[in-house]
Amino acid sequence: MRSELMAEVRRERADAARNRQAILKATESLLSEHPPEQVSMERIAAAAEVGKGTVFHRFGSRAGLMRELMLERAHALRESVTDGPPPLGPGAPPRQRLLAFLDAVVDVVGRNKGLLAALGQAATVPRDAQEDSREQHSVYGFWHGHISELIAEERPDLDAELLAHILLGALQNGPIVHLLGQGEARRLAVSLRLLVTGMLEA
């Protein structure tokens, strides 16, 4: 009887994990095709082929779902930086790693246009705030720290900490968000590369 109960628990956990990934994938796909205000919980549930109640049960609210997607993609990028192949991962010169990382950030933000704005807001939240804000703060902190470190390695004479904030902050302003909303992520990535290359060679 106990073994049957354990098997049922494992099946329920596997189903929950599959549903979670299906919901996140459906949300990201819808966000890439439609403005955020048009991506409702009902629409996400239909795309993921689950009940609306399943979405609410797993994520609590639309904001909770968007936050979970944001953190999922940000953590995946972090793993690529720490354990992935170069140039995004270890082993490449700092300039190549910096350009590859900024390309990856633009790609992530292009697929979830509210990501960087939410992370930037989290950077100003006190450390004793609610758990999700602390998580977002840690993501922003890692991104900022990684950019700062690479700039400092390439150009120790520059104010790497401030430049990292400027580079991340530039991706949060209205015109850039609008550009991403029009599917211009590649255009942004090319321009950001030119900006950073000029900065490092100045």
Side-chain angles (χ1 to χ4, degrees), residues 158-194:
L158 297 179
D159 188 342
E161 182 180 356
L162 178 57
L163 289 170
H165 278 308
I166 291 171
L167 289 172
L168 289 174
L171 298 176
Q172 300 175 43
N173 70 52
I176 296 300
V177 173
H178 179 70
L179 192 71
L180 289 169
Q182 294 180 317
E184 296 278 7
R186 179 59 186 164
R187 179 184 172 193
L188 175 59
V190 169
S191 296
L192 196 57
R193 274 179 164 263
L194 290 172

Short mmCIF file of all heavy atoms in Angstrom, two decimals, residues 158-194:
data_model
loop_
_atom_site.label_atom_id
_atom_site.label_comp_id
_atom_site.label_asym_id
_atom_site.label_seq_id
_atom_site.Cartn_x
_atom_site.Cartn_y
_atom_site.Cartn_z
N LEU A 158 38.75 51.85 -16.22
CA LEU A 158 37.39 52.37 -16.34
C LEU A 158 36.60 52.15 -15.05
O LEU A 158 36.94 51.28 -14.23
CB LEU A 158 36.67 51.69 -17.50
CG LEU A 158 37.25 51.90 -18.89
CD1 LEU A 158 36.44 51.13 -19.93
CD2 LEU A 158 37.30 53.38 -19.25
N ASP A 159 35.53 52.92 -14.89
CA ASP A 159 34.62 52.75 -13.75
C ASP A 159 33.64 51.63 -14.10
O ASP A 159 32.52 51.86 -14.56
CB ASP A 159 33.87 54.06 -13.49
CG ASP A 159 33.04 54.01 -12.20
OD1 ASP A 159 32.77 52.90 -11.71
OD2 ASP A 159 32.66 55.09 -11.71
N ALA A 160 34.10 50.40 -13.91
CA ALA A 160 33.34 49.23 -14.36
C ALA A 160 31.98 49.13 -13.69
O ALA A 160 30.98 48.76 -14.33
CB ALA A 160 34.15 47.96 -14.11
N GLU A 161 31.91 49.44 -12.40
CA GLU A 161 30.65 49.32 -11.68
C GLU A 161 29.58 50.24 -12.25
O GLU A 161 28.45 49.82 -12.50
CB GLU A 161 30.87 49.63 -10.20
CG GLU A 161 29.60 49.49 -9.36
CD GLU A 161 29.82 49.79 -7.90
OE1 GLU A 161 30.98 50.04 -7.51
OE2 GLU A 161 28.84 49.79 -7.14
N LEU A 162 29.94 51.50 -12.48
CA LEU A 162 28.98 52.45 -13.02
C LEU A 162 28.61 52.11 -14.46
O LEU A 162 27.43 52.17 -14.85
CB LEU A 162 29.55 53.87 -12.95
CG LEU A 162 28.66 54.98 -13.53
CD1 LEU A 162 27.31 55.00 -12.84
CD2 LEU A 162 29.36 56.33 -13.42
N LEU A 163 29.59 51.73 -15.26
CA LEU A 163 29.31 51.40 -16.66
C LEU A 163 28.37 50.20 -16.77
O LEU A 163 27.51 50.16 -17.65
CB LEU A 163 30.62 51.12 -17.40
CG LEU A 163 31.49 52.34 -17.67
CD1 LEU A 163 32.86 51.93 -18.18
CD2 LEU A 163 30.81 53.28 -18.68
N ALA A 164 28.51 49.24 -15.87
CA ALA A 164 27.61 48.08 -15.89
C ALA A 164 26.18 48.51 -15.60
O ALA A 164 25.23 48.03 -16.24
CB ALA A 164 28.07 47.04 -14.87
N HIS A 165 26.00 49.42 -14.64
CA HIS A 165 24.65 49.94 -14.35
C HIS A 165 24.09 50.69 -15.58
O HIS A 165 22.91 50.56 -15.90
CB HIS A 165 24.69 50.89 -13.15
CG HIS A 165 24.67 50.20 -11.83
ND1 HIS A 165 23.72 49.25 -11.48
CD2 HIS A 165 25.49 50.33 -10.75
CE1 HIS A 165 23.96 48.84 -10.24
NE2 HIS A 165 25.02 49.47 -9.79
N ILE A 166 24.94 51.46 -16.23
CA ILE A 166 24.49 52.22 -17.40
C ILE A 166 24.06 51.28 -18.52
O ILE A 166 23.01 51.50 -19.16
CB ILE A 166 25.61 53.16 -17.88
CG1 ILE A 166 25.83 54.29 -16.87
CG2 ILE A 166 25.28 53.75 -19.26
CD1 ILE A 166 27.04 55.15 -17.14
N LEU A 167 24.83 50.24 -18.76
CA LEU A 167 24.50 49.30 -19.83
C LEU A 167 23.18 48.58 -19.56
O LEU A 167 22.32 48.46 -20.44
CB LEU A 167 25.62 48.28 -20.01
CG LEU A 167 26.91 48.81 -20.63
CD1 LEU A 167 28.01 47.76 -20.57
CD2 LEU A 167 26.67 49.24 -22.08
N LEU A 168 22.98 48.13 -18.33
CA LEU A 168 21.72 47.47 -17.99
C LEU A 168 20.57 48.46 -17.97
O LEU A 168 19.46 48.16 -18.41
CB LEU A 168 21.84 46.77 -16.63
CG LEU A 168 22.72 45.52 -16.59
CD1 LEU A 168 22.87 45.00 -15.17
CD2 LEU A 168 22.14 44.42 -17.49
N GLY A 169 20.83 49.67 -17.45
CA GLY A 169 19.78 50.68 -17.39
C GLY A 169 19.31 51.12 -18.76
O GLY A 169 18.13 51.42 -18.95
N ALA A 170 20.24 51.14 -19.74
CA ALA A 170 19.86 51.55 -21.10
C ALA A 170 18.80 50.63 -21.68
O ALA A 170 17.99 51.05 -22.52
CB ALA A 170 21.10 51.57 -21.99
N LEU A 171 18.79 49.38 -21.25
CA LEU A 171 17.83 48.41 -21.79
C LEU A 171 16.45 48.55 -21.17
O LEU A 171 15.52 47.85 -21.56
CB LEU A 171 18.35 46.99 -21.58
CG LEU A 171 19.67 46.65 -22.26
CD1 LEU A 171 20.11 45.24 -21.90
CD2 LEU A 171 19.54 46.79 -23.78
N GLN A 172 16.31 49.42 -20.19
CA GLN A 172 15.03 49.56 -19.50
C GLN A 172 14.22 50.76 -19.96
O GLN A 172 13.06 50.89 -19.58
CB GLN A 172 15.27 49.69 -17.99
CG GLN A 172 15.96 48.51 -17.36
CD GLN A 172 16.27 48.77 -15.91
OE1 GLN A 172 15.45 49.29 -15.17
NE2 GLN A 172 17.47 48.43 -15.47
N ASN A 173 14.79 51.65 -20.75
CA ASN A 173 14.04 52.87 -21.08
C ASN A 173 12.95 52.61 -22.11
O ASN A 173 13.00 51.62 -22.85
CB ASN A 173 15.00 53.99 -21.52
CG ASN A 173 15.63 53.74 -22.87
OD1 ASN A 173 14.93 53.47 -23.83
ND2 ASN A 173 16.94 53.84 -22.96
N GLY A 174 11.99 53.51 -22.15
CA GLY A 174 10.80 53.32 -22.98
C GLY A 174 11.06 53.04 -24.44
O GLY A 174 10.51 52.08 -25.00
N PRO A 175 11.87 53.86 -25.13
CA PRO A 175 12.12 53.61 -26.55
C PRO A 175 12.73 52.24 -26.83
O PRO A 175 12.40 51.60 -27.83
CB PRO A 175 13.08 54.75 -26.94
CG PRO A 175 12.78 55.83 -25.97
CD PRO A 175 12.46 55.15 -24.69
N ILE A 176 13.61 51.77 -25.93
CA ILE A 176 14.24 50.46 -26.14
C ILE A 176 13.20 49.34 -25.95
O ILE A 176 13.15 48.39 -26.72
CB ILE A 176 15.42 50.25 -25.18
CG1 ILE A 176 16.52 51.28 -25.47
CG2 ILE A 176 15.97 48.84 -25.29
CD1 ILE A 176 17.08 51.21 -26.87
N VAL A 177 12.39 49.46 -24.91
CA VAL A 177 11.33 48.47 -24.69
C VAL A 177 10.39 48.43 -25.88
O VAL A 177 9.96 47.36 -26.34
CB VAL A 177 10.56 48.77 -23.39
CG1 VAL A 177 9.36 47.85 -23.24
CG2 VAL A 177 11.49 48.63 -22.18
N HIS A 178 10.05 49.61 -26.42
CA HIS A 178 9.18 49.69 -27.60
C HIS A 178 9.85 49.02 -28.80
O HIS A 178 9.20 48.29 -29.56
CB HIS A 178 8.87 51.15 -27.92
CG HIS A 178 8.01 51.33 -29.13
ND1 HIS A 178 6.67 50.98 -29.14
CD2 HIS A 178 8.29 51.81 -30.38
CE1 HIS A 178 6.16 51.24 -30.34
NE2 HIS A 178 7.13 51.74 -31.10
N LEU A 179 11.14 49.24 -28.94
CA LEU A 179 11.89 48.62 -30.04
C LEU A 179 11.85 47.10 -29.94
O LEU A 179 11.63 46.40 -30.93
CB LEU A 179 13.35 49.11 -30.01
CG LEU A 179 14.22 48.82 -31.22
CD1 LEU A 179 13.79 49.66 -32.41
CD2 LEU A 179 15.68 49.09 -30.90
N LEU A 180 12.04 46.60 -28.73
CA LEU A 180 11.97 45.15 -28.52
C LEU A 180 10.57 44.63 -28.83
O LEU A 180 10.42 43.54 -29.37
CB LEU A 180 12.35 44.82 -27.08
CG LEU A 180 13.83 45.01 -26.73
CD1 LEU A 180 14.04 44.90 -25.23
CD2 LEU A 180 14.70 44.00 -27.47
N GLY A 181 9.57 45.43 -28.47
CA GLY A 181 8.20 45.03 -28.76
C GLY A 181 7.91 44.92 -30.24
O GLY A 181 6.99 44.21 -30.66
N GLN A 182 8.71 45.59 -31.06
CA GLN A 182 8.55 45.52 -32.51
C GLN A 182 9.43 44.43 -33.13
O GLN A 182 9.54 44.34 -34.35
CB GLN A 182 8.90 46.88 -33.14
CG GLN A 182 7.94 47.99 -32.75
CD GLN A 182 8.32 49.32 -33.38
OE1 GLN A 182 9.49 49.70 -33.41
NE2 GLN A 182 7.33 50.03 -33.91
N GLY A 183 10.05 43.62 -32.27
CA GLY A 183 10.88 42.53 -32.78
C GLY A 183 12.25 42.96 -33.26
O GLY A 183 12.86 42.30 -34.12
N GLU A 184 12.77 44.06 -32.71
CA GLU A 184 14.05 44.61 -33.16
C GLU A 184 15.20 44.23 -32.24
O GLU A 184 16.16 44.99 -32.07
CB GLU A 184 13.95 46.13 -33.25
CG GLU A 184 12.97 46.63 -34.29
CD GLU A 184 13.57 46.64 -35.69
OE1 GLU A 184 14.70 46.13 -35.86
OE2 GLU A 184 12.92 47.15 -36.61
N ALA A 185 15.15 43.05 -31.65
CA ALA A 185 16.20 42.64 -30.72
C ALA A 185 17.56 42.57 -31.40
O ALA A 185 18.58 42.98 -30.83
CB ALA A 185 15.86 41.28 -30.10
N ARG A 186 17.59 42.07 -32.64
CA ARG A 186 18.87 41.97 -33.35
C ARG A 186 19.49 43.35 -33.58
O ARG A 186 20.69 43.55 -33.42
CB ARG A 186 18.67 41.24 -34.68
CG ARG A 186 19.93 41.09 -35.52
CD ARG A 186 21.00 40.33 -34.77
NE ARG A 186 22.25 40.29 -35.50
CZ ARG A 186 23.42 39.96 -34.97
NH1 ARG A 186 23.48 39.66 -33.68
NH2 ARG A 186 24.51 39.95 -35.70
N ARG A 187 18.66 44.29 -33.96
CA ARG A 187 19.13 45.66 -34.17
C ARG A 187 19.73 46.23 -32.89
O ARG A 187 20.79 46.87 -32.91
CB ARG A 187 17.97 46.52 -34.65
CG ARG A 187 18.31 47.99 -34.88
CD ARG A 187 17.07 48.74 -35.27
NE ARG A 187 17.28 50.19 -35.32
CZ ARG A 187 16.29 51.08 -35.38
NH1 ARG A 187 15.03 50.67 -35.41
NH2 ARG A 187 16.57 52.36 -35.42
N LEU A 188 19.06 45.97 -31.77
CA LEU A 188 19.55 46.44 -30.49
C LEU A 188 20.88 45.77 -30.13
O LEU A 188 21.81 46.43 -29.66
CB LEU A 188 18.52 46.16 -29.40
CG LEU A 188 18.93 46.49 -27.97
CD1 LEU A 188 19.30 47.95 -27.83
CD2 LEU A 188 17.83 46.11 -26.99
N ALA A 189 20.98 44.46 -30.36
CA ALA A 189 22.21 43.74 -30.04
C ALA A 189 23.40 44.28 -30.82
O ALA A 189 24.50 44.45 -30.27
CB ALA A 189 22.02 42.25 -30.31
N VAL A 190 23.19 44.57 -32.11
CA VAL A 190 24.28 45.09 -32.94
C VAL A 190 24.72 46.46 -32.43
O VAL A 190 25.92 46.75 -32.31
CB VAL A 190 23.83 45.19 -34.42
CG1 VAL A 190 24.84 45.97 -35.25
CG2 VAL A 190 23.64 43.79 -35.01
N SER A 191 23.76 47.32 -32.12
CA SER A 191 24.09 48.66 -31.63
C SER A 191 24.80 48.60 -30.27
O SER A 191 25.73 49.37 -30.01
CB SER A 191 22.83 49.51 -31.53
OG SER A 191 22.26 49.71 -32.81
N LEU A 192 24.36 47.69 -29.42
CA LEU A 192 24.98 47.54 -28.11
C LEU A 192 26.42 47.06 -28.25
O LEU A 192 27.32 47.51 -27.52
CB LEU A 192 24.17 46.57 -27.26
CG LEU A 192 24.43 46.57 -25.75
CD1 LEU A 192 24.19 47.96 -25.17
CD2 LEU A 192 23.54 45.55 -25.06
N ARG A 193 26.66 46.17 -29.19
CA ARG A 193 28.03 45.71 -29.45
C ARG A 193 28.92 46.88 -29.89
O ARG A 193 30.07 46.99 -29.45
CB ARG A 193 28.02 44.63 -30.54
CG ARG A 193 27.77 43.23 -30.01
CD ARG A 193 27.74 42.21 -31.14
NE ARG A 193 27.89 40.86 -30.59
CZ ARG A 193 29.03 40.20 -30.55
NH1 ARG A 193 30.14 40.76 -31.03
NH2 ARG A 193 29.10 38.98 -30.03
N LEU A 194 28.40 47.72 -30.78
CA LEU A 194 29.18 48.87 -31.23
C LEU A 194 29.49 49.81 -30.08
O LEU A 194 30.61 50.34 -29.96
CB LEU A 194 28.39 49.63 -32.32
CG LEU A 194 28.27 48.93 -33.67
CD1 LEU A 194 27.31 49.71 -34.57
CD2 LEU A 194 29.62 48.79 -34.35
#
